[in-house]
Structure formats: structure tokens, C-alpha cells
Amino acid sequence: MNYEQIFDAAIGRLHSEGRYRVFIDILRNKGSYPNARCFAGHNGPKDITVWCSNDYLAMGQHPKVIAAMEEALHDVGAGSGGTRNIGGNTHYHVDLEAELADLHGKDGALLFTSGYVSNDATLSTLAKVLPGCVIFSDELNHASMIAGIRNSGAEKRVWRHNDLAHLEELLAAEDPDVPKLIAFESVYSMEGDVAPIHAICDLADRYNALTYIDEVHAVGMYGPRGGGITDREEAAHRIDVIEGTLGKAFGVMGGYIAADRKIIDVIRSYAPGFIFTTSLSPVLVAGVLASVRHLKASSVERDGQQANAAALKAMLREAGLPVMDSTTHIVPLMVGDPVKAKTIADILLAEYGIYVQPINYPTVPRGLERLRFTPGPAHTEPMMRSLTEALTEIWQRLDLALAA
């Protein structure tokens, strides 16, 4: 058995399909994000502008967040010291879970080391606890949700994206006495569209199903206090489990769920992904705590993000670039080819100092490759103009179609 040959062939397939992933070596400039430094060559760092960060509101740079993390570091040290059950349950963790429960109007919350783990651990555990559970999953759900559903061993029914008629058809075909769980997202990060939350909850009520929503691309950014789309739509009370991340709009790291205390206790007590892992560093938790508290009271960051997203979409459309329809802060630009998507991203970085990653399969289906821009409150109009002009020049250079 030639193991090395097998590994070489696996990597070779990615290269031949144009979807081999390259990690860009960068350092963000504290206090001046989205400006950063890129270590792409041998001539020292190059100044770049970051257009694809999930630090949507630049809270990873916020003075309150940095100050809270520095204070915690000097108060308790770097790490948590263990799992939540063995020394890793600090007062910072307890406070943050209370803040997150309050953010979503729930009885309790539970922290995880990442949004991926929170989805995987919660979905797999919920379905195992519910005998004979059938999970109804939107076809565009995130990989972490798909992993959790798969790891649960439960039967699943995949419904067409945001297609309520298809969801009801699948629910109606199931045994009324079987436990059911509808799993979906609020904001779909590659499409930039939003789920019809109340309509899904109406179906859940009709067919006696639990509801699970992934709000990772919405928490902090929507609703009067940043509770996400469920906050904006006043729907949080209708959702059984709300899952979110601490590494995007809140600007630090981690994941969580918010739910009824009994559900929280079940996940806390049964989920291996929670039980058997070292808890988040209290330094990170302190930073998130400051971020959540700030965004509950401040809409400046949210308003700035929405204004800039609208402005960038308008500029790209005016230039004839193929910006996809999006009702959110996500600005996807359709390319439709993995090699071309990477070529465009490479030219932007090398020649214009603009950093955006190509989005290829399996993140999106083959033939729907794109560039995904995430304008935030710190992106300026000159930055947006420069980006639009650079994209227009590259589109023309590569003989790609522009709208008339």
C-alpha cells in the first residue's frame, strides 16, 4: 500500500479542480481594521484591505473588548484550567451564559468552544435523547449542522431551501407520534437571504415539532439588542433552541445555545462535545462579555454595517458586476467557475492589495463559485470605490460578462 501516493492523488484532485485552498498569512492592524498586513512574499509585509472577515462589526478591535481581555488576563491568567466540570467553570463563563440567555429571552444558555461544536454537539445529542426523532433540515444548512444530524444517527428529511410547501409535505407524511425537529438558519451566509421564521414556526406548531435555528450570521447584527433575526422578527419565544457564535459579530471566539433550562441541562449533561473538552479561556469569555453588553446597548455598529452593505451592493450593480440578490449584510458576487474565482482573488491581492477569498465547492455547489464580501462599519467609501474599480478592471481583463 503506497500511502503517500494516495495522499498525493487526493491533493492533486483539488488542484486539478481549481479548489485547492490557500491560507493567506496576515496580521490585522489594531485600531485601523480593515487594514492589515499580508506576508505573501519575501519582501516583508504588504498593506492590504480585508473584505472577507467574519468580524462583521469590528468588535475584535473595540477598546472595551480589548480592555476586558487585558483585565481578565492579569486577573486570572491565560487558560481556564480544565473542562467545565473540572476547574474550568469560571465566573466569567457563568456571567456570559446569563447575558446570552437574556439576549434571546431564554431561561438558560450554554457555551461551547466554537459555533461548529455547538451545532454538532447539540443536534446530535437532542436527536439521541428523543426516541425515534426525525430531523427536518434545510438543504443549505451549514456543514456543522449536517455533521450534528449525521452524528445523531436519526432519520433526516432534507427540504428545499426556504420552501415551506415542501417542508409541510415532509412533515405531513411523518407519523404524528414521532418526535420531530426542524433545523434551519436565520441568515444563509453564502446566499445572503433570510428564513421565513414565523411561517416555519407555524408549521412546527401544526405538526408538533421542535425548532432549532442557527443565528451565527445574525447575532449582534439584527434586532434592537443584537439578538439576531429572531430578535428583529420578535420570534425568539417561538424557537426552542437558538444557536449562535461568539467569533463573528461579537469579534472573539466560541459558540453557544440558548434555550429552556431543561434543554440546556440535557445538553450539558449528555453532549460529549461539551463534557470532554477544555472550556474557553476566561480571557476570551471576558472579551465576549464586554462585546455582548456593548451591542445590546449600541446600534451604531449595526447601522454602519447595513449602510455600507447597501452602498457596496449599489456600486457593484452600477458597474454591471454580477452581484447576487441579498437582503442582508452579505454581498456575494457570482463567478461560476473555481479557477476564475481564485484567479480574480489572486489578482486582487497581488495587484490591488484587496483580500477576499474565493468560495468554492463544497461550501457552495459546483458551478456556483463566488466571491463573498462582508462590508462592515469601518469600511470607507473610498475603499468601496477602489474595490469596485478593481473588480471592473479584472472582469474586463478576463473577458467576463458585465451587465450593459
Side-chain angles (χ1 to χ4, degrees), residues 134 136 157 164-176 180-182 200 202-209:
V134 177
F136 299 81
R157 309 284 183 262
L164 296 172
H166 189 217
L167 173 59
E168 180 162 23
E169 179 186 326
L170 295 174
L171 287 165
E174 212 58 59
D175 182 343
K180 303 172 185 66
L181 175 64
I182 303 173
I200 291 172
D202 289 343
L203 291 177
D205 291 344
R206 190 175 307 158
Y207 293 95
N208 193 25

Side-chain angles (χ1 to χ4, degrees), residues 14 25 44 72 89 96 130 133 142 157 175 220 257 298 301 333 346 363 371:
L14 298 179
D25 186 359
N89 187 49
L96 179 54
L130 297 169
C133 180
H142 189 263
R157 309 284 183 262
D175 182 343
I257 59 168
S298 173
E301 294 81 7
L333 198 62
D346 288 346
T363 307
L371 302 177

Side-chain angles (χ1 to χ4, degrees), residues 34-57:
N35 295 315
R37 294 154 282 161
C38 175
F39 296 80
H42 302 288
N43 299 320
K46 172 184 178 180
D47 291 336
I48 63 170
T49 303
V50 178
W51 276 101
C52 55
S53 173
N54 285 340
D55 187 0
Y56 290 129
L57 302 180

